[in-house]
Amino acid sequence: MNTCLWLLLCSIILPRGATPFITSSSVATRGADDGRSILSPPIRQTQLFVSSTTSTPNVWVPPSQRLLETRSTIFKIQQPEELLDFISEDDRLCVIKVYASWCQACKKFDLRYRKLASKYSDKYTTNTKGAPPAEIKQQGKIRFAELQYDNPQNEDLCDSVLGTTSFPYILIYKRQEGKIRGFHCTPAKFQLLVNTVEELLVEEEEQESCGVDNSFQKQVIDLGLADRR
């Protein structure tokens, strides 16, 4: 994993309440508690990237568009780059379930997680035979993803960056704030996740009604992500 990508991934552990500041070469944040400086989550500046195996530019497909093609509600993160793609696509709440294939509690948790995703994620048009491709008829308030801990491509990400050691584990992000929640959530405590997302949605509505805009990253800042693949 290259250094730039590693730093960007490390940035998503940013605690809520951190004070942002901007450097000449990157977006950085100062931790609210200890004053340390870390990079904050990026905004994608381009929809083109260069493949690692060819010099031909490829069109970047947003995670929501990939879900639309399969009519799914949960984005499956297969590698670290896709975590950045998922978080940085837009300003909606991002909920990520970290699980392991051998975890029995994760399997019990999964059904309720999918029901929650169906409630808050994008709604699609009916795609009948001979009809145009499905479209998003109603944008959801939350985007959902899952990340498999025992996928070899995610090993460094889970151990060194996310620090997830118990499963299922829930991570909640917003592009302009970074990580805002992280907690172990067993099937018996699933209501904790429900309460948390409802609380965060209410908080969003209150901020919007008051005209609060803390998305400092809406400024145009190029972090060189176009060539990261």
Side-chain angles (χ1 to χ4, degrees), residues 126-147:
T126 302
N127 189 9
T128 57
K129 187 176 181 180
E135 297 177 348
I136 297 176
K137 66 178 181 180
Q138 180 181 343
Q139 188 179 69
K141 296 180 179 180
I142 306 173
R143 293 187 296 116
F144 292 82
E146 59 185 11
L147 188 156

Side-chain angles (χ1 to χ4, degrees), residues 99-111 167-168 186-187:
Y99 72 100
S101 61
W102 41 259
C103 171
Q104 293 301 314
C106 297
K107 295 176 181 178
K108 294 180 181 179
F109 185 91
D110 184 67
L111 179 60
F167 310 105
T186 65

